[in-house]
Amino acid sequence: EENSIALRYLREHRFIRCSAGDDVRQANVYIGGGHSYLPALVAFARDAKGDITGYQQILLDKRTAAKADIPVPKRSVGKISGSFVEVSKGVNSDITIIAEGLETALSLKEALSEHSEMIYNGIQIKILCSLGISNIKNYRAREGEKIIIAADNDGHDSTTHKTIENARLELSSKGAFVEIVRPIKVGDFNDILKDKALGEKEIQNSFENVLASYSAVTL
């Protein structure tokens, strides 16, 4: 809803103004230790059958709408493995983008959407959030599906490089085409979106070549 704390968190702190999708909502979460209730951004993850199996909550500060200043503001509940948050539906789409974090997935939706529909050259794009890097490989890829893993740039020598590469191999083994796209600087695509010198245009540039090649094959 307008002016909810969760909406303010996305707009003011993450520069995300697009619709977050039906599975991203605000809830009040009880916190022990005298905090009572805190507002939270809650993202629901669905399995391949479309059933909600778990969710991730990001606890927020009631006053500033920033992440709550507590030891663990973000946590996952229920079964996340093999389930994903769908931020852009892409009905009958052959192109799927999988991002690690919710804010990253929504940053891509913000930057790549035309008229709020995720369409690139007439092709709908599905955008999913895996709620963690280790879950990407568990996506149930279809034969011939064109997948882009929107990875974070954690630096060349990071251990996450191997996790992403393993995910690429795993999804490719199911018959999917898989490409990896990373931001041009260390960080994630939300960091790019928030960077005044880079912003949406840089995200579009990052995905342009892969989307062009994928859509050419699809058409």
Side-chain angles (χ1 to χ4, degrees), residues 3-113:
N3 299 323
S4 73
I5 307 245
L7 205 58
R8 281 185 56 207
Y9 166 71
L10 291 175
R11 286 181 176 169
E12 296 171 20
H13 298 279
R14 296 296 188 160
F15 291 28
I16 293 164
R17 290 168 183 82
C18 64
S19 156
D22 296 339
D23 287 339
V24 180
R25 301 173 210 163
Q26 177 171 316
N28 285 323
V29 177
Y30 177 73
I31 306 296
H35 288 284
S36 63
Y37 287 89
L38 282 179
L41 181 72
V42 180
F44 293 96
R46 296 180 184 269
D47 62 15
K49 298 198 296 270
D51 296 328
I52 292 173
T53 63
Y55 61 88
Q56 185 180 76
Q57 62 187 33
I58 302 170
L59 295 168
L60 304 171
D61 185 299
K62 291 175 190 170
R63 199 170 42 80
T64 64
K67 261 188 200 168
D69 186 15
I70 57 175
V72 187
K74 182 189 285 191
R75 72 185 187 106
S76 297
V77 179
K79 181 174 179 284
I80 301 298
S81 180
S83 295
F84 296 80
V85 182
E86 194 172 66
V87 302
S88 175
K89 287 203 180 310
V91 185
N92 301 325
S93 171
D94 273 341
I95 299 179
T96 302
I97 300 177
I98 306 176
E100 295 174 41
L102 179 66
E103 296 91 342
T104 303
L106 290 173
S107 297
L108 301 181
K109 184 177 183 179
E110 178 81 23
L112 299 175
S113 58

Side-chain angles (χ1 to χ4, degrees), residues 99-180:
E100 295 174 41
L102 179 66
E103 296 91 342
T104 303
L106 290 173
S107 297
L108 301 181
K109 184 177 183 179
E110 178 81 23
L112 299 175
S113 58
E114 300 170 22
H115 317 299
S116 82
E117 287 292 321
M118 277 309 306
I119 295 175
Y120 180 86
N121 286 353
I123 295 165
Q124 284 195 316
I125 301 170
K126 180 161 71 176
I127 300 182
L128 302 175
C129 161
S130 66
L131 297 179
I133 189 171
S134 58
N135 191 31
I136 296 174
K137 69 180 187 302
N138 300 320
Y139 176 65
R140 223 185 254 190
R142 298 190 317 277
E143 179 88 30
E145 188 171 0
K146 299 172 184 70
I147 296 173
I148 304 170
I149 298 175
D152 295 349
N153 183 343
D154 296 325
H156 284 304
D157 302 324
S158 68
T159 53
T160 57
H161 251 63
K162 191 167 185 193
T163 308
I164 291 290
E165 185 56 32
N166 287 343
R168 186 183 71 79
L169 294 172
E170 181 68 30
L171 297 178
S172 298
S173 74
K174 297 171 185 172
F177 301 97
V178 188
E179 297 280 355
I180 299 168

